[in-house]
Amino acid sequence: MSATLQFDDEASRRIEAIYSTPDVVAQRQAVLLALEAKPGERVLDIGAGPGFLAAELAPSVAPDGTVIGTDISESMLAIATARLDSTDSAAETRFEHADACALPFQDESFDAVVCTQVYEYVQDIAKALSELARVLRPGARALVLDTDWDSIVWHSGDPLRMQRVLDAWEEHLVDPHLPRRLIRLLDDAGLTVDLCQVVPIVNVRSNHNTYSAGMTELIADFIPGRQGLTDADAIAWSEDLRALSRSGDYFLSLNRYLFRAAKR
């Protein structure tokens, strides 16, 4: 059993579907607004995943800018590349295989670096942030967004089972509570935070067009064998959430935390 979530073909396609929902589209808009990419800039997207953010950044840096997305998952890179191949990019845009702790780029080679929902998976966060700072030009900006899973509020017909499920789900990350440490970690890496804001997700129903429906499937596949949970527990948990949604008694709230920082 893998300790953390593995982004194989199936998991990557599920992530792509979740990232297509209005909930995550709104999150990307908050990221783009805070990043303030400008024409001609060279921007790096660390952990680009299915490539939505990199593709949406391209018009902001056009016509002479560049967007480079990296990911450690070959499945994610295949999805991102296919997305790029099916659209007309407004600027030079490409994807490369790379580890967040060993970026294959020269020092001070980017005007902006963005990293969303990635660092909570990274074992050596100090090294990863050092790499982020290394490739940024002096005065350039970084934008980091991650989730603190203590922020989740998810209504359930069986609160004790829900807590066990959430405890098991936290095992998919190296640090499920990273945002509370990020200001100090960014400072240690030579970056000064100038913006910190909450990016909330709220669902009062669950269907194919909501973040929580896709996450329910992902979580149900991950948790059996953890925290004493079985396949039957995962099925019962999922069915309870679907029943609550049908009855109009559904609620999920989760906070992402966005940090923008400048390289000193």
Side-chain angles (χ1 to χ4, degrees):
M1 178 184 296
S2 174
T4 57
L5 185 65
Q6 300 301 297
F7 292 99
D8 56 15
D9 289 348
E10 182 179 358
S12 296
R13 286 296 177 190
R14 285 182 170 177
I15 293 294
E16 181 185 28
I18 293 168
Y19 280 26
S20 301
T21 63
D23 298 314
V24 186
V25 171
Q27 172 188 296
R28 285 199 299 276
Q29 290 304 307
V31 169
L32 291 167
L33 183 64
L35 188 63
E36 297 180 334
K38 300 174 180 63
E41 286 192 322
R42 183 175 165 89
V43 181
L44 175 64
D45 181 6
I46 299 173
F52 288 108
L53 181 60
E56 292 169 16
L57 269 168
S60 298
V61 303
D64 301 318
T66 301
V67 177
I68 301 176
T70 67
D71 210 281
I72 199 169
S73 165
E74 295 290 357
S75 297
M76 286 294 195
L77 288 169
I79 292 171
T81 300
R83 168 160 291 101
L84 191 61
D85 290 344
S86 67
T87 60
D88 293 326
S89 180
E92 179 187 354
T93 308
R94 67 179 187 272
F95 296 96
E96 300 183 13
H97 184 273
D99 190 309
C101 292
L103 298 173
F105 306 109
Q106 295 182 354
D107 294 358
E108 302 180 3
S109 55
F110 290 95
D111 300 294
V113 177
V114 59
C115 186
T116 64
Q117 292 297 116
V118 173
Y119 286 141
E120 55 197 23
Y121 293 91
V122 174
Q123 191 69 47
D124 191 345
I125 184 62
K127 174 62 174 174
L129 293 176
S130 175
E131 279 290 274
L132 179 154
R134 178 184 66 79
V135 302
L136 272 177
R137 296 186 177 115
R141 63 207 180 281
L143 191 145
V144 177
L145 180 143
D146 275 290
T147 302
D148 189 320
W149 285 90
D150 270 356
S151 72
I152 193 166
V153 177
W154 206 344
H155 180 48
S156 170
D158 187 336
L160 292 179
R161 182 179 60 206
M162 174 62 85
Q163 189 57 56
R164 291 171 64 204
V165 167
L166 294 177
D167 289 344
W169 176 239
E170 286 195 358
E171 295 179 19
H172 87 288
L173 297 168
V174 171
D175 187 350
H177 313 299
L178 178 62
R180 64 188 68 178
R181 301 195 296 125
L182 268 173
I183 292 177
R184 172 55 63 85
L185 288 167
L186 287 163
D187 185 71
D188 290 346
L191 299 157
T192 301
V193 172
D194 61 21
L195 176 69
C196 177
Q197 65 185 44
V198 179
V199 181
I201 292 175
V202 178
N203 289 163
V204 294
R205 65 189 185 284
S206 177
N207 58 46
H208 71 282
N209 215 27
T210 61
Y211 166 86
S212 59
M215 289 303 296
T216 298
E217 293 182 3
L218 204 62
I219 292 170
D221 277 354
F222 182 82
I223 61 172
R226 294 176 166 85
Q227 300 291 326
L229 293 164
T230 64
D231 288 329
D233 291 323
I235 293 169
W237 173 74
S238 301
E239 290 179 346
D240 174 55
L241 292 176
R242 286 192 288 269
L244 288 171
S245 184
R246 288 193 299 270
S247 69
D249 194 22
Y250 188 87
F251 184 86
L252 171 135
S253 173
L254 178 68
N255 289 340
R256 266 82 188 265
Y257 297 89
L258 181 154
F259 302 83
R260 187 181 64 201
K263 181 176 178 178
R264 295 194 290 274

